[in-house]
Amino acid sequence: MEFSRRAAIMAGMSTAAAIPLARAAAPANRSSGGKDPVTPEQFGAVGDGNHDDTQAWQAAARTGLTIVPKPGARYLISASISPPPGTPLIIRGGTIKGPGASVLKAAPNFTGYLLKPTSSYEIRGLHIVGNGRDGCHLIGTDEKGSGGSVIIEDIDFRRADTFINFGPGWEHPLGLYYARIYGQHFRTAGIILGGTRGGARSGESAWTFDTVIMTNADKGTAGSLPATGISVTRGGNADLLTWDGTPSPMFGWVVLRSQDGKTGWHVPPNWTEAFCQTGRFEAEKAAGETWQYAVVRQTVGICLRRGKAVAATSVQAEYCGIGVWLDNVLGFNFQAIYSETRDRAAPYPNLSSVVVTGGSYGTIGTTWAEQYGYAIIASPGTQVNTGMFRGRSLKWALYGGREMPPDAPWNRKGALMGSTPVPFRRLSGKD
C-alpha cells in the first residue's frame, strides 16, 4: 500500500474523539532572535554528496542561528553536528521529495548521532540518510540535557540503526511536537524517547505525534536480524540455547521455536520478557517434543518512556518485532495505530503490535494489527482503554485477561482470539 492510502485508512478507522493538535508552525524566513539565518555554503559547504561538508555544518551550528540548507543540495557528514551547550539547533529546509530536497547523508563509516542537540531543537524539511550500520543514529544523544521547546516536522529518514534516539538522561519537559515523519529501514528502532531501559528523567509531558510512520520495508527485506553462533543442547524437559550475545542490541534478543523451521514460530512457554540481554536461554518443553529454534534481535517502531499526556493522531509501525512500546507513559491517547508485517518479513512472527508496561495507562481508539503473535500486550499494573480492534493472522489477540495459551510469553494472563473483528472496551494488566 502507498503511504497516502495507509494514512487515509488510519484516519477513516478512528473511533476515538478528535484530539486537539496545536500545529507548531513558524515562519520559514525568521531565525532565532530575529536575526538573519545562515547557510552551510557561507562556511564552505559544497553540497554535491561527495565532498565532506561536516566542518561547514558545524560552523553554522556554532552560530546558534537558524540554518537554511540549499534546495537540492546533498551534504556528506562524517561527524556529529552539535551546537555549543545550551544553544538551540534550528534547521529549516523545504521539500523532502524530488530534486529540490535538501539531503544530509552519513559517511559510510559514520557512527554516533548525525544531528546532536544540546538543548532545544527545531528540525524541519530534510531528507536524512544514514549508512545502514549499527551505531548510526540520525537525531538524538546519549548525554544528559533538556530541550524545553522541540519540533521535528516534515522529515524523511532512511537507513540507520535508529532515526530519533534520546537516551534516559535527556528530558523533554514540555511541548514535544513530531509531525509528518516517515522513516524507512532501521536496524533497531525508529523513535526512542527516554532510552530503552533504566530510569529515564521525570517531567516529560505534553507530547504530540501527528502522522508518524516507521517501517523496515526496504526493497523487500525486513529488519529481523538473526543472531550468530546459535547452539542447541537438547534435553528431556528443556533445550539449552546459547548464541553470540555480545554486544547485545538495544532491545536484546528474542528466542523463537517452530516444529518444521518454517511455520508456526512462537516463543517458548517459559519466555517471560520482551527480550533477552544475555546469549543464553533454557527453553522448556514437554517430554518427547523436538523443536527448531531461531534467535533474532528485537526491533521496535516507536518506544516512549516516562512520558506524560501523550497524544497521537495516526501512528504506523511495520516490519518490526514490536510496533509501539509505551513504558511508564501516564495518560496517553492514540487515535489510531496501524501495524503489519505481511509476507515481506522474515518467517519469524513479530511479538506484538502494542506493548504497554511500567504502570502506563491511557486510551487507544482504533488498532489494526496484522501478522503478530499478539495485538496488544498489557503487563501487570497497566491499564488500556480500547476502542475498535481489528486484526488478521494473529496467534493471540490480547495479553492481560485470565486465559493464556500454554506457549505464550508472560505466561500469566491473556485472551485467545481468532482473526475476526472484535471490539474491546477495556484491557487491564492489573492482577
Side-chain angles (χ1 to χ4, degrees):
M1 286 183 285
E2 296 296 327
F3 163 80
S4 59
R5 190 157 75 93
R6 284 175 176 159
I9 289 174
M10 288 187 292
M13 287 172 60
S14 177
T15 59
I19 301 174
L21 296 174
R23 180 175 174 81
N29 61 347
R30 297 187 64 186
S31 62
S32 55
K35 299 179 181 180
D36 290 336
V38 298
T39 69
E41 284 71 20
Q42 289 177 241
F43 301 92
V46 178
D48 63 357
N50 296 314
H51 291 81
D52 192 329
D53 291 323
T54 305
Q55 291 186 3
W57 268 84
Q58 186 59 53
R62 281 196 294 266
T63 67
L65 301 176
T66 298
I67 303 172
V68 178
K70 180 181 177 181
R74 296 179 61 87
Y75 302 101
L76 182 67
I77 307 297
S78 60
S80 295
I81 305 303
S82 186
T87 303
L89 177 63
I90 304 175
I91 304 172
R92 293 182 186 161
T95 180
I96 61 174
K97 297 291 185 181
S102 302
V103 181
L104 289 185
K105 184 175 71 170
N109 294 323
F110 173 83
T111 57
Y113 290 91
L114 206 66
L115 297 176
K116 188 176 180 181
T118 62
S119 65
S120 298
Y121 58 88
E122 177 187 328
I123 303 170
R124 304 174 186 256
L126 285 178
H127 184 68
I128 309 179
V129 183
N131 53 27
R133 292 168 56 95
D134 281 341
C136 176
H137 313 290
L138 301 186
I139 298 177
T141 180
D142 291 325
E143 299 176 7
K144 292 183 179 181
S146 178
S149 174
V150 299
I151 299 170
I152 296 180
E153 185 176 25
D154 293 319
I155 301 293
D156 190 336
F157 293 112
R158 299 296 171 100
R159 300 186 68 245
D161 193 351
T162 65
F163 299 139
I164 302 173
N165 182 5
F166 286 90
W170 183 273
E171 184 179 24
H172 291 102
L174 292 170
L176 178 145
Y177 181 77
Y178 288 179
R180 295 181 302 281
I181 299 173
Y182 177 72
Q184 182 169 308
H185 196 49
F186 52 83
R187 294 177 68 85
T188 299
I191 297 175
I192 301 173
L193 300 181
T196 60
R197 63 186 69 87
R201 293 183 65 179
S202 61
E204 297 91 337
S205 61
W207 293 355
T208 299
F209 299 84
D210 184 4
T211 311
V212 177
I213 297 178
M214 296 289 110
T215 176
N216 262 332
D218 186 10
K219 297 180 179 179
T221 63
S224 297
L225 302 175
T228 59
I230 301 174
S231 175
V232 180
T233 302
R234 302 192 182 276
N237 295 312
D239 294 334
L240 176 62
L241 280 77
T242 59
W243 62 92
D244 183 6
T246 56
S248 178
M250 289 184 188
F251 293 98
W253 308 98
V254 178
V255 174
L256 301 162
R257 71 180 190 180
S258 165
Q259 288 186 331
D260 61 7
K262 298 178 181 179
T263 60
W265 288 97
H266 60 274
V267 294
N270 60 319
W271 186 263
T272 58
E273 301 291 344
F275 54 82
C276 176
Q277 289 292 344
T278 66
R280 175 189 173 94
F281 182 75
E282 192 169 3
E284 294 180 359
K285 65 176 184 178
E289 291 181 341
T290 301
W291 296 96
Q292 296 189 40
Y293 293 94
V295 180
V296 297
R297 72 160 68 190
Q298 182 67 287
T299 54
V300 179
I302 300 170
C303 176
L304 308 180
R305 302 184 62 244
R306 295 296 295 272
K308 302 177 181 70
V310 176
T313 52
S314 55
V315 170
Q316 183 168 321
E318 301 177 300
Y319 310 101
C320 50
I322 295 173
V324 177
W325 191 336
L326 305 174
D327 182 63
N328 197 9
V329 177
L330 309 182
F332 61 83
N333 191 342
F334 281 62
Q335 281 189 253
I337 295 177
Y338 182 99
S339 280
E340 68 175 6
T341 299
R342 294 188 180 272
D343 56 3
R344 283 184 288 176
Y348 316 121
N350 292 332
L351 182 62
S352 182
S353 173
V354 181
V355 173
V356 185
T357 58
S360 301
Y361 64 87
T363 297
I364 299 174
T366 303
T367 305
W368 172 267
E370 185 168 349
Q371 286 193 346
Y372 278 92
Y374 290 85
I376 301 175
I377 290 175
S379 68
T382 65
Q383 296 183 13
V384 182
N385 295 325
T386 67
M388 178 60 71
F389 160 80
R390 295 192 68 176
R392 179 185 297 157
S393 301
L394 301 170
K395 188 159 188 178
W396 305 288
L398 304 175
Y399 168 73
R402 290 293 177 186
E403 302 297 328
M404 174 60 71
D407 56 354
W410 288 292
N411 195 7
R412 296 173 60 188
K413 306 178 181 70
L416 177 64
M417 188 197 93
S419 59
T420 56
V422 176
F424 290 97
R425 292 304 173 190
R426 182 175 180 81
L427 170 65
S428 176
K430 296 194 299 182
D431 292 331

